[in-house]
Amino acid sequence: MTAPPDLLSRLSGRTLLVIGDVMLDHFVMGSVDRISPEAPVPVVRFEHETWRLGGAANVAHNAAALGARVHVIGLTGSDEAAATLRTELGRLGIGSSGIVEDPQRRTTRKLRVVTTRNQQVARIDYEDDREVQGDLEAALALGIEQLSTEADAIVVSDYLKGAVTSRLASTAIAASRRRGIPVLVDPKVPHIDYYSGATVITPNHHEAAAVTHLRIRTGEEAIAAARRFRERAGCDSVLITRGEHGMTLLGSGVEAELPAEAREVADVTGAGDTVVATMALALAAGASLIEAARLANRAAGIVVGKFRGGHGLDRRVIWQLA
């Protein structure tokens, strides 16, 4: 399914505000040719390492790849990972003035050891997932109030790492309502009560099943779950991502099953970030709900078809959306 002829061009220049859990993805790459004599684990011979944006920062990266102006609001520590994250955001032209540093917190960093054949051997997470509060929460709320004034859409990217609180989610949703712009949420189940009033929530099928207590195996079951999810969350529309089964969309006057676009799946890391970024920009550009969902589905199909390590869309593959 291709995008409407002028929709992609209308994404460029839109302004997106991304709020949530910014992360740094750290990849250590190497070759494996033997098993350790100390334990039944592979010995990885180091070759190189890379750092990429993750979480809410990856949502911002996807939006920037689509030509948007992007600002990020999030929380980091005062450490080397935070400096690397800011540098990468700056390199991509993404505004980071809304990022608040907490000296008592680690910046969320996911270290993955990956072989040259794109097989992940191990993952180590550095994180502190306490919910932000006090002066730090107030600073994030102020950033939302200030940066939302120029946004065409808002995304709340919740990874349960502490940057999304009830106060901050409601601040973002209230700002979107005042300005008449869409606010989309990539959710986590424990925070389901935070998102009331959102324009679109994009749970995966596991999250939708957990919230609704319904099994999702067929298209009919997915629609039933989407209805119950929308009622439970108090949002306008729901887009359930279902992996190889595609997506299920429920909105005002819209019920649709979108088949998966990817022919082969190499890496699903960050696909949800791509979906919510693409859909937010499409809605900001005036697309209908179904047009935005179709474009997001196409974008997801592109990023899972190649190993990108959470890198999502980049300018070299945007032409594939046309």
Side-chain angles (χ1 to χ4, degrees), residues 74-289:
L75 189 65
T76 69
S78 298
D79 50 23
E80 185 176 350
T84 302
L85 192 149
R86 283 184 181 272
T87 297
E88 184 64 10
L89 288 170
R91 185 183 70 80
L92 295 169
I94 297 170
S96 60
S97 63
I99 292 180
V100 174
E101 291 191 358
D102 178 2
Q104 307 304 315
R105 178 183 295 264
R106 283 186 181 133
T107 299
T108 301
R109 176 166 64 100
K110 297 180 180 180
L111 169 61
R112 296 177 178 89
V113 180
V114 182
T115 73
T116 51
R117 295 187 177 184
N118 295 332
Q119 295 174 317
Q120 185 170 307
V121 175
R123 189 176 110 178
I124 303 170
D125 289 2
Y126 301 81
E127 65 183 31
D128 183 341
D129 58 5
R130 294 171 294 125
E131 278 203 2
V132 65
Q133 55 186 328
D135 291 343
L136 294 170
E137 185 183 38
L140 291 169
L142 179 61
I144 294 171
E145 296 284 1
Q146 294 175 337
L147 291 173
S148 63
T149 59
E150 56 185 277
D152 296 310
I154 297 173
V155 168
V156 176
S157 177
D158 193 350
Y159 275 82
L160 286 181
K161 306 303 180 187
V164 178
T165 65
S166 177
R167 174 185 177 184
L168 295 178
S170 62
T171 299
I173 291 167
S176 76
R177 294 288 180 175
R178 283 197 304 272
R179 298 207 57 238
I181 59 175
V183 55
L184 289 81
V185 179
D186 192 357
K188 282 292 180 282
V189 173
H191 288 173
I192 191 65
D193 292 321
Y194 292 6
Y195 314 133
S196 179
T199 308
V200 183
I201 301 182
T202 62
N204 62 39
H205 64 286
H206 297 297
E207 292 161 342
V211 168
T212 62
H213 305 292
L214 294 174
R215 297 182 69 177
I216 303 175
R217 297 161 298 184
T218 66
E220 292 78 10
E221 289 175 342
I223 286 291
R227 291 184 185 127
R228 186 175 294 183
F229 188 101
R230 182 171 65 172
E231 181 180 357
R232 174 67 181 82
C235 60
D236 296 340
S237 304
V238 178
L239 180 70
I240 301 176
T241 57
R242 302 176 57 211
E244 69 272 19
H245 300 296
M247 300 179 179
T248 299
L249 176 67
L250 176 71
S252 178
V254 177
E255 290 184 5
E257 290 291 320
L258 307 177
E261 292 272 355
R263 295 181 180 178
E264 295 183 8
V265 177
D267 180 20
V268 299
T269 305
D273 301 332
T274 300
V275 167
V276 75
T278 305
M279 192 162 189
L281 286 179
L283 290 174
S288 67
L289 189 64

Side-chain angles (χ1 to χ4, degrees), residues 11-27:
L11 302 185
S12 182
R14 301 290 169 176
T15 300
L16 184 67
L17 176 60
V18 180
I19 303 159
D21 296 299
V22 295
M23 307 179 195
L24 189 67
D25 287 334
H26 182 187
F27 293 84

